[in-house]
């Protein structure tokens, strides 16, 4: 993850505000148990260390699984993910007035990041930026 974190650090400077809090996009606990790791969390942690900012791995919670999103349109993905990510009740104090930088490994439609961003704003985050390692190309 360290090389990827270095790549992200090179482009992320405009996204870093004073007291930025870095958080990964969460996985549902069942997917985390099955996979045994959250790639976004590993990437976010390495990035936060690289740029010397605070990292909170459990800032957000995915309160329900969305199942497979493969083959769904952007609108269908948004509907399926609406409300699926919420602020961690134990961390709402960290979100209040915070500048949050959400990190994910891959951006497909943006539905997951939209849900995570809405969760941050629901807990009074000052602003939210997103940083992803890769974007899925649309086939025409």
């Amino acid at each position: 993850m360290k090389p990827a974190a270095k790549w992200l650090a090179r482009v992320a400077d405009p996204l870093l505000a004073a007291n930025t809090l870095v958080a990964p996009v969460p996985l549902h606990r069942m997917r985390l148990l099955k996979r045994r790791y959250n790639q976004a969390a590993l990437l976010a942690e390495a990035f936060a260390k690289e740029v010397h900012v605070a990292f909170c791995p459990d800032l957000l919670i995915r309160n329900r699984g969305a199942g497979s999103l493969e083959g769904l349109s952007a609108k269908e993905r948004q509907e399926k993910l609406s409300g699926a990510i919420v602020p961690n009740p134990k961390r709402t104090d960290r979100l209040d007035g915070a500048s949050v930088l959400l990190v994910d490994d891959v951006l497909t439609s943006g539905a997951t990041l939209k849900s995570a961003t809405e969760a941050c704003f629901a807990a009074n985050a000052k602003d939210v930026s997103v940083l992803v390692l890769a974007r899925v190309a649309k086939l025409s």
Side-chain angles (χ1 to χ4, degrees), residues 79-101:
E79 288 171 359
K80 205 166 186 184
L81 284 165
S82 180
I85 298 174
V86 297
N88 183 339
K90 297 177 183 176
R91 304 288 180 251
T92 54
D93 60 320
R94 295 198 71 185
L95 276 163
D96 191 19
S99 292
V100 178
L101 179 60

Side-chain angles (χ1 to χ4, degrees), residues 19-100:
N19 301 316
T20 295
L21 179 60
V22 173
V25 170
L27 287 178
H28 185 264
R29 66 182 174 276
M30 295 309 291
R31 175 150 307 166
L32 184 58
L33 283 172
K34 183 178 180 182
R35 195 186 280 178
R36 295 192 177 139
Y37 66 95
N38 178 349
Q39 191 161 314
L42 297 173
L43 184 59
E45 181 178 25
F47 170 78
K49 284 180 183 176
E50 184 69 29
V51 296
H52 310 289
V53 297
F55 171 64
C56 188
D58 61 345
L59 189 68
L60 302 173
I61 297 171
R62 194 177 292 237
N63 62 7
R64 61 180 163 78
S68 176
L69 301 175
E70 190 175 336
L72 298 180
S73 70
K75 183 179 178 183
E76 290 168 328
R77 286 170 179 256
Q78 285 183 6
E79 288 171 359
K80 205 166 186 184
L81 284 165
S82 180
I85 298 174
V86 297
N88 183 339
K90 297 177 183 176
R91 304 288 180 251
T92 54
D93 60 320
R94 295 198 71 185
L95 276 163
D96 191 19
S99 292
V100 178

Side-chain angles (χ1 to χ4, degrees), residues 67-136:
S68 176
L69 301 175
E70 190 175 336
L72 298 180
S73 70
K75 183 179 178 183
E76 290 168 328
R77 286 170 179 256
Q78 285 183 6
E79 288 171 359
K80 205 166 186 184
L81 284 165
S82 180
I85 298 174
V86 297
N88 183 339
K90 297 177 183 176
R91 304 288 180 251
T92 54
D93 60 320
R94 295 198 71 185
L95 276 163
D96 191 19
S99 292
V100 178
L101 179 60
L102 295 173
V103 176
D104 205 355
D105 54 340
V106 178
L107 170 70
T108 304
S109 69
T112 303
L113 286 166
K114 180 178 187 230
S115 183
T117 299
E118 289 170 347
C120 291
F121 283 129
N124 299 317
K126 176 182 171 187
D127 53 66
V128 180
S129 298
V130 298
L131 184 64
V132 296
L133 182 61
R135 170 136 171 75
V136 173

Side-chain angles (χ1 to χ4, degrees), residues 3-27:
K6 286 181 180 287
W7 297 332
L8 291 175
R10 284 188 221 150
V11 299
D13 191 52
L15 303 176
L16 299 173
N19 301 316
T20 295
L21 179 60
V22 173
V25 170
L27 287 178

